[in-house]
Amino acid sequence: MDLENQKRVKDFAQQFGAENLVVVIGAAEGEAAGLAAETVTAGDPTFAGPLTGVSLGLKVYHICENEIKSEVDQGIYDEQVSMMEMVLDVGEIVKEMKSIRDQFMKY
């Protein structure tokens, strides 16, 4: 997760309350999705950005996970995500995201 997005997430958490946010990740592979998820839950593991040492514990999901997929208009999902979903290892991504949530999610 780039430094600007870390700042946005941190600012939103302060403005709206961490318990009121859900972060949706769209990374194309499990490791990248997990790194972004860890950043918004436990803090920036690279120690480079605004979330360094900041454990927000945010709810975090990947766009391809059923919890989010079921909340998105099917036509929009098909148009924007479904083609990419066909080439992703969704099982690996879901496993990585669940692991991060189980370890660090507070809300």
Side-chain angles (χ1 to χ4, degrees), residues 2-3 15 20 25 30 40 48-49 51 53-54 60 68 70 75 82 88 90 95:
D2 69 32
L3 303 181
Q15 183 178 356
N20 297 313
I25 306 291
V40 300
L51 292 178
V54 179
V60 61
I68 298 300
S70 66
S82 64
L88 298 177
V90 175
K95 181 180 174 185

Side-chain angles (χ1 to χ4, degrees), residues 5 20 28 35 37 48 51 56 61-64 70 78 93 103 107:
N5 283 335
N20 297 313
L35 183 61
L51 292 178
L56 295 175
Y61 294 89
H62 192 277
I63 188 65
C64 293
S70 66
D78 288 345
I93 291 169
Q103 291 177 67
Y107 304 101

